[in-house]
Amino acid sequence: MRNGHVPPADQAGLRRANLALVVRTLREHGQQSRAQLSALSGLSKATVSNLVSELESRRLVRAAGLTAGRQGRPGQLVELSPGSVCGIGLEINLEYLRATVLDLAGTVITEQLVPLRVVELGPQRCLDQLAELARSMLATVAAVGAWPAGITVAVPGLVDTQAGVVRFAPNLRWRQIALVDGLAARVDFPLERCAVDNDANLAALAEHTSGAASGTADLLCIVGSSGVGAGLLAAGVPVRGASGFAGEVGHLSLDPLGPSCPCGNRGCWERQIDLGTLLEVMSSPDDPVRDPSLAVSDRLRIIRGRAEAGDRRTLDALQQVGDALGVGLALLINVLNPAAVVLGGYFAELYEWLVEHARIQIASRVLSPEAARAAILPSTLGFTAAIRGGAQHAMRTVMDNPTLAPVVASEPTEAPA
Amino acid sequence: MRNGHVPPADQAGLRRANLALVVRTLREHGQQSRAQLSALSGLSKATVSNLVSELESRRLVRAAGLTAGRQGRPGQLVELSPGSVCGIGLEINLEYLRATVLDLAGTVITEQLVPLRVVELGPQRCLDQLAELARSMLATVAAVGAWPAGITVAVPGLVDTQAGVVRFAPNLRWRQIALVDGLAARVDFPLERCAVDNDANLAALAEHTSGAASGTADLLCIVGSSGVGAGLLAAGVPVRGASGFAGEVGHLSLDPLGPSCPCGNRGCWERQIDLGTLLEVMSSPDDPVRDPSLAVSDRLRIIRGRAEAGDRRTLDALQQVGDALGVGLALLINVLNPAAVVLGGYFAELYEWLVEHARIQIASRVLSPEAARAAILPSTLGFTAAIRGGAQHAMRTVMDNPTLAPVVASEPTEAPA
DNA sequence: TCACTTCGTTGGGTGGTTCATCAAAGTAAG
DNA sequence: CTTACTTTGATGAACCACCCAACGAAGTGA
């Protein structure tokens, strides 16, 4: 379906590709002189100069001093311009809305968290709140004199990224919500620069771009919270599947005799490793750690405290979850052979008590020793991975096609901030 | 590792991309006039004419009469030239070597099967045999006056496609065999036009190009024989994983209490659905169907006969295998969300007795109804899928970069048939 | 026979990259 | 302090690929 009709290559596309190449080189290698860029990219010096001057006029890059020492004329360094082109990442979750603004260098311009009972509020009023948050982010971008490349929303559920529709988000109790349309209309932002994606997919993107698995092209990111989701990156490209629902690992049935799950099956992975299960195993029903009014972060602080204190029941529960995590990961590693697995969400918070158990299970279950080399890493971005990935995603459009960024007159900057 | 340094885009690359675009358009839509090609591809008429004339000089396309009826001047049809550019696919398996030559239109120029006890022969002498087979194919290509685009070998095991090395093929008992080097040296064929890949990956490519799931970009191909392998295609691109070992689904552990497997675990999928298991369940040890001297095709004929005759034990065994097949497929569908699953190898031969059981399991285990829409199809290429995929793979290099094909003088053809 | 339609080619124009050359801006040595 | 050397980045000519507009070619239908 929607067969990707590849547009013909023309000179504009050629230019676009090379502009993007320079931006990418700068992203991967940090600030460089034009001569170094020429060597790294394979483009001629003349072309690099030309490209850089266009990127400068679009404020994607800027001058950054001179190269140090050595012989000959010093090079004029160029770097990705901070604070000029920004991406906006939003996240909808059970307990909050979250937002961030990143610039091309990956610097956080601003971050915000709005506690919210999303389920009780319902999709439409939640969208209103989300729009307000987006407007606030746009205002910040405008205040620092930057240009908003796009807005990307992370949602815990099945998303049709092409249509911009949330198909099914069980935890939020959402079905068929036209999120992109709704948001763009409310915020008065160009529709084509708004996007939705699954939170785990975006988390994977963030970990790939600037997180734990920075630069790793084949990546699996497992995010644990009230459910479990996975984001896949193969050769640097997100794997979404035919309808965009790839990575729905929560309901993998790992044990035909395991406990039953609301989804109708038995032994679902999610029922073995999500936060709710950990709580059930490690505590009695009246334990304060299970107080429903507690926020996730507070709950995790308690769990960490008990684990650090060596509480046996807690440690046993963590082992049980770690084992189950490893069993499922072994399966995914066999199928996908990633170079790294990043544990996100609550798994990252409890990484040190989970990973060894998981590793043992993986080692004994993976077919080839080479595949077993997959590194199991904790997310360095924690709960902000999804919004950062969203912001990165929003900027990716511009990095892949720098001509989208507007040309400014001539004056370098005169931001009042 | 081996971070893909993207070469800069230049005019030659632009030309290459548009030549490839014309070839692809022709592949997808069949013979077309220049004007129709222009409309379909988005290129201008002038450019299409120019490109077609270059493709003609490289014998990738040829004139094919005029468009029928309608008003105005009739168009001059162009089609992928049959019998001029060929791909050679080879396959190594337990019981035989297999080879085929395909042309751009997908027509089989020749096919050959050499029975061989690969395990007993050992890798080096097997390579000698393989080289002889390859030389025979090259001779056929030369005899019809065609140009061999490349040779690709399908191997049942873990393959490092970049290095051209078979890392581990348990069934063949091969480890670290430099297959591409060995073959290219023996055959005296350019190294860079030789390749190895996993048989399931190539089968998936074949099913995508011209088989059961023709044109489906997100595809999963499960090949059953003495083991079980999977080939993955995401957005039309093979998913190989970080070290090229993705798709090793045979040893997914689906049941922690299941029967033990030589790999050291329990409940491996392979032990539930491979041909050996089916035989064990459907017959007693002294049953003639289990005669070790029987070829796979003969064995399958017997099984089909019993199933058609309504033999209860056989049908029960097929149900058991079909159920297990469905359980594993549900898992893969949740993770990968393919548009289609193609059953290859022996699954295709027994498709009609397996698929309904599998479908029931899948339907009850897949999370989203949209993902459940994945079509479960029988391979239409059967045991030739891998070699056809190999030949397609060999031609893909040229289709993606038509300038690789040599330019011929002027005379159209003078093949002595 | 004469409009009318559609096809494919031709020539001029635009845009992008490359090569060769050169001035600029440093270091190193006499 | 001057001179030689090295490296950088900019300039202009050349090349190449694509697009547009116009035109002749080759049919259909009245």
Side-chain angles (χ1 to χ4, degrees):
Chain A
M1 53 198 80
R2 198 186 298 102
N3 214 324
H5 254 256
V6 183
D10 55 2
Q11 319 228 71
L14 201 160
R15 181 83 175 168
R16 220 179 304 140
N18 283 335
L19 286 167
L21 177 59
V22 170
V23 171
R24 208 166 345 127
T25 309
L26 241 26
R27 250 197 59 75
E28 282 169 19
H29 297 88
Q31 48 177 226
Q32 301 287 334
S33 72
R34 286 162 177 76
Q36 290 170 320
L37 279 175
S38 167
L40 285 168
S41 67
L43 293 159
S44 69
K45 287 193 298 174
T47 306
V48 168
S49 281
N50 193 335
L51 293 169
V52 165
S53 100
E54 175 166 353
L55 290 173
E56 253 175 335
S57 79
R58 297 187 188 277
R59 297 207 306 162
L60 279 132
V61 305
R62 67 168 191 188
L66 301 177
T67 51
R70 305 194 45 177
Q71 277 189 339
R73 172 179 167 181
Q76 301 167 34
L77 288 172
V78 170
E79 68 180 0
L80 287 181
S81 179
S84 58
V85 170
C86 289
I88 298 176
L90 303 175
E91 183 188 1
I92 304 174
N93 218 314
L94 267 181
E95 305 179 343
Y96 55 79
L97 303 180
R98 213 185 260 269
T100 196
V101 176
L102 258 52
D103 69 5
L104 288 177
T107 310
V108 178
I109 305 296
T110 184
E111 237 174 13
Q112 206 172 331
L113 189 144
V114 180
L116 203 69
R117 292 284 165 190
V118 171
V119 175
E120 294 164 22
L121 214 61
Q124 292 309 318
R125 280 200 289 173
C126 177
L127 261 179
D128 292 337
Q129 294 287 320
L130 192 71
E132 195 179 310
L133 190 54
R135 271 192 298 270
S136 149
M137 293 295 114
L138 284 168
T140 306
V141 171
V144 301
W147 178 73
I151 303 176
T152 299
V153 186
V155 176
L158 306 178
V159 175
D160 182 335
T161 52
Q162 295 288 333
V165 174
V166 178
R167 294 290 180 211
F168 181 36
N171 292 339
L172 306 180
R173 308 214 184 127
W174 283 17
R175 269 186 189 282
Q176 308 292 350
I177 306 296
L179 194 136
V180 163
D181 288 346
L183 183 66
R186 282 173 174 81
V187 180
D188 191 30
F189 194 79
L191 190 70
E192 60 279 8
R193 277 153 62 198
C194 288
V196 214
D197 205 338
N198 175 272
D199 55 353
N201 276 344
L202 292 174
L205 181 61
E207 300 291 354
H208 164 68
T209 310
S210 62
S214 190
T216 304
D218 296 273
L219 179 64
L220 178 62
C221 183
I222 306 284
V223 180
S225 60
S226 49
V228 176
L232 277 59
L233 235 56
V237 180
V239 174
R240 296 187 205 282
S243 2
F245 304 154
E248 280 309 310
V249 297
H251 295 276
L252 297 184
S253 176
L254 297 184
D255 181 358
L257 302 176
S260 68
C261 171
C263 80
N265 285 299
R266 296 187 155 276
C268 288
W269 199 24
E270 193 164 294
R271 283 285 147 273
Q272 298 177 31
I273 61 171
D274 71 358
L275 186 51
T277 305
L278 176 66
L279 288 168
E280 280 173 29
V281 178
M282 70 174 277
S283 65
S284 312
D286 56 345
D287 192 310
V289 76
R290 285 165 79 168
D291 180 348
S293 66
L294 227 50
V296 169
S297 53
D298 296 322
R299 234 187 281 279
L300 287 172
R301 199 172 317 118
I302 298 175
I303 300 173
R304 287 184 62 93
R306 292 188 190 173
E308 276 161 8
D311 176 65
R312 174 87 347 243
R313 188 166 177 190
T314 303
L315 292 176
D316 286 349
L318 285 166
Q319 163 154 18
Q320 184 177 326
V321 169
D323 283 342
L325 188 60
V327 172
L329 283 180
L331 194 150
L332 293 173
I333 290 172
N334 270 326
V335 175
L336 299 166
N337 179 218
V341 176
V342 177
L343 301 181
Y346 98 82
F347 298 135
E349 302 286 321
L350 302 175
Y351 176 80
E352 51 189 299
W353 294 283
L354 294 171
V355 67
E356 274 316 316
H357 304 302
R359 281 216 181 96
I360 290 169
Q361 295 296 329
I362 291 169
S364 78
R365 283 160 193 277
V366 167
L367 181 59
S368 83
E370 285 89 352
R373 281 198 210 123
I376 315 292
L377 308 168
S379 164
T380 52
L381 307 172
F383 289 105
T384 66
I387 43 172
R388 279 164 177 266
Q392 296 286 1
H393 175 85
M395 283 186 292
R396 208 175 231 215
T397 330
V398 175
M399 303 225 266
D400 289 346
N401 180 5
T403 58
L404 291 176
V407 180
V408 290
S410 56
E411 285 283 290
T413 36
E414 45 176 26
Chain B
M1 53 197 79
R2 199 185 297 101
N3 214 323
H5 255 256
V6 184
D10 55 3
Q11 321 226 65
L14 202 154
R15 182 83 175 167
R16 218 179 305 141
N18 283 335
L19 286 167
L21 177 60
V22 170
V23 171
R24 209 167 345 132
T25 309
L26 240 28
R27 252 197 57 76
E28 282 169 19
H29 297 88
Q31 49 177 223
Q32 302 287 332
S33 71
R34 287 164 175 75
Q36 290 170 320
L37 279 175
S38 167
L40 285 169
S41 67
L43 292 159
S44 71
K45 287 194 296 176
T47 306
V48 168
S49 280
N50 194 334
L51 293 169
V52 164
S53 101
E54 174 167 353
L55 290 173
E56 252 175 335
S57 79
R58 296 187 188 277
R59 296 206 305 163
L60 280 131
V61 306
R62 67 168 190 189
L66 302 178
T67 51
R70 304 194 48 176
Q71 277 189 340
R73 170 177 167 182
Q76 301 167 33
L77 287 172
V78 170
E79 68 179 2
L80 287 182
S81 179
S84 57
V85 171
C86 289
I88 298 176
L90 302 175
E91 182 187 1
I92 304 174
N93 217 315
L94 266 181
E95 305 180 343
Y96 54 79
L97 303 181
R98 212 185 260 270
T100 196
V101 176
L102 260 51
D103 70 4
L104 288 176
T107 309
V108 178
I109 305 297
T110 183
E111 237 173 12
Q112 204 173 333
L113 189 145
V114 180
L116 205 70
R117 292 284 164 190
V118 171
V119 174
E120 293 164 23
L121 214 60
Q124 291 311 318
R125 279 199 291 172
C126 177
L127 260 180
D128 292 337
Q129 294 289 321
L130 192 71
E132 194 179 311
L133 189 54
R135 271 191 298 270
S136 149
M137 294 294 115
L138 284 169
T140 307
V141 171
V144 301
W147 179 73
I151 302 177
T152 299
V153 186
V155 176
L158 305 178
V159 175
D160 182 336
T161 52
Q162 295 287 333
V165 173
V166 178
R167 293 292 180 208
F168 181 37
N171 293 338
L172 306 181
R173 307 209 186 131
W174 285 16
R175 272 187 187 282
Q176 307 294 352
I177 306 297
L179 195 137
V180 164
D181 288 347
L183 183 66
R186 282 173 173 81
V187 181
D188 191 28
F189 194 78
L191 191 70
E192 60 279 8
R193 278 153 61 197
C194 288
V196 212
D197 205 339
N198 175 272
D199 55 353
N201 275 344
L202 291 175
L205 180 62
E207 301 291 353
H208 164 69
T209 310
S210 62
S214 189
T216 304
D218 296 273
L219 179 64
L220 178 61
C221 184
I222 306 284
V223 180
S225 60
S226 50
V228 176
L232 278 57
L233 234 57
V237 181
V239 174
R240 298 188 204 278
S243 359
F245 305 155
E248 281 310 310
V249 298
H251 295 274
L252 297 184
S253 174
L254 297 183
D255 181 357
L257 302 177
S260 67
C261 172
C263 80
N265 285 298
R266 295 188 155 274
C268 287
W269 200 24
E270 194 165 293
R271 283 284 146 276
Q272 299 176 31
I273 61 171
D274 69 359
L275 187 52
T277 305
L278 177 67
L279 288 168
E280 280 172 29
V281 178
M282 69 174 277
S283 65
S284 311
D286 56 345
D287 192 309
V289 76
R290 285 165 80 169
D291 181 348
S293 66
L294 226 50
V296 169
S297 53
D298 296 322
R299 234 187 281 281
L300 287 172
R301 199 174 316 120
I302 298 175
I303 300 174
R304 287 184 61 94
R306 293 190 189 173
E308 276 161 8
D311 178 64
R312 175 83 351 238
R313 189 167 175 188
T314 303
L315 292 176
D316 286 349
L318 285 166
Q319 164 155 17
Q320 183 177 325
V321 168
D323 283 342
L325 188 60
V327 172
L329 284 181
L331 193 149
L332 294 173
I333 290 172
N334 270 325
V335 175
L336 299 166
N337 179 216
V341 176
V342 177
L343 301 182
Y346 98 82
F347 297 136
E349 303 287 320
L350 302 175
Y351 176 80
E352 51 189 300
W353 294 283
L354 294 170
V355 66
E356 275 316 315
H357 304 303
R359 282 217 180 95
I360 292 169
Q361 294 296 329
I362 292 167
S364 78
R365 282 160 194 277
V366 167
L367 181 59
S368 85
E370 284 89 353
R373 279 198 212 124
I376 316 292
L377 308 168
S379 164
T380 53
L381 307 173
F383 289 105
T384 67
I387 42 171
R388 278 164 177 265
Q392 296 285 0
H393 175 86
M395 284 186 291
R396 206 176 234 215
T397 330
V398 175
M399 304 226 263
D400 289 347
N401 180 6
T403 58
L404 291 176
V407 180
V408 290
S410 56
E411 285 284 289
T413 37
E414 44 177 26

